[in-house]
Amino acid sequence: MTGVTCVLVGGGTPNYLGSVTVTVDTFSVPNLTRYGSEPPSYGSITPATWADSGLTISGLYYGIITVTSPTVYAVVMRITGYAPNAGWSTLTIAGNAYSRVDASYSYDGTYSSWVWSTTSTNPFGTTIGATKAVVWS
Amino acid sequence: MVLTIFYPANEAEWYAKGTAEGGTYFEVPAVFNPDGTCDTAATDAKVQQLILVLSMKS
């Protein structure tokens, strides 16, 4: 008797859909102010892992950069490790929706980052200690 | 700064892609002219803005 047994181990596309809670803090140096969190530097993100991808969320923040004119405002999502620019459609921060296809994406060998250039809407607000829901859908 | 950008041929391709100094790979939604060709100057500005945002360390 002959037979073939096929066993699949692992594989598949990681799930990037889920939610976290950001406890808002601020970081400021000359020409740069941020609101949100970049653990462990400031604020916190719970849980720390992005959905069931196994990747750590290293930053969710709104940044104001005044080193250039005009001032640059940006919403930033940063993940430790490689994640493709795919697998989710919308990032919603406290009810403010950001479409993935509108983001600039980068991977520098350490971090995967998505950056939305925005105007003046700070989705995290400026209240230190406030908690904000962040959802990937 | 060493910067390599591949511009989309048309709006269906959507993103400009390339690498910045240090080998950072990027994808930036391109800006298009009314005739559907890539507005390279405006797209370059978006790439530069991305690099600026990422370069500001906390």
Side-chain angles (χ1 to χ4, degrees):
Chain A
M1 180 177 180
T2 61
V4 175
T5 301
C6 181
V7 177
L8 298 176
V9 178
T13 302
N15 177 21
Y16 299 114
L17 308 182
S19 63
V20 297
T21 298
V22 173
T23 300
V24 176
D25 202 349
T26 189
F27 171 86
S28 187
V29 294
N31 299 316
L32 173 65
T33 301
R34 289 174 178 166
Y35 293 95
S37 179
E38 286 181 280
S41 176
Y42 62 95
S44 63
I45 301 172
T46 306
T49 303
W50 185 17
D52 66 0
S53 69
L55 300 171
T56 298
I57 305 166
S58 48
L60 284 166
Y61 59 85
Y62 171 77
I64 305 165
I65 299 171
T66 57
V67 72
T68 58
S69 182
T71 297
V72 172
Y73 303 91
V75 171
V76 178
M77 165 187 157
R78 196 175 70 181
I79 302 295
T80 301
Y82 172 74
N85 189 13
W88 54 281
S89 297
T90 305
L91 172 70
T92 303
I93 303 171
N96 297 274
Y98 301 90
S99 178
R100 182 180 58 77
V101 295
D102 292 333
S104 294
Y105 164 84
S106 78
Y107 176 63
D108 66 3
T110 302
Y111 299 109
S112 301
S113 303
W114 287 261
V115 174
W116 290 265
S117 297
T118 178
T119 52
S120 58
T121 300
N122 173 3
F124 292 102
T126 59
T127 302
I128 307 308
T131 57
K132 302 293 180 181
V134 176
V135 179
W136 289 270
S137 57
Chain B
M1 173 182 293
V2 179
L3 188 64
T4 304
I5 305 176
F6 297 95
Y7 301 102
N10 53 58
E11 294 183 72
E13 294 184 8
W14 197 268
Y15 286 102
K17 302 178 181 181
T19 54
E21 193 167 3
T24 297
Y25 171 79
F26 62 80
E27 297 176 358
V28 172
V31 180
F32 293 93
N33 296 307
D35 67 359
T37 59
C38 182
D39 182 336
T40 57
T43 300
D44 285 354
K46 292 184 70 173
V47 172
Q48 295 292 347
Q49 189 172 80
L50 171 66
I51 292 169
L52 171 66
V53 170
L54 296 176
S55 70
M56 301 296 284
K57 303 297 184 186
S58 61

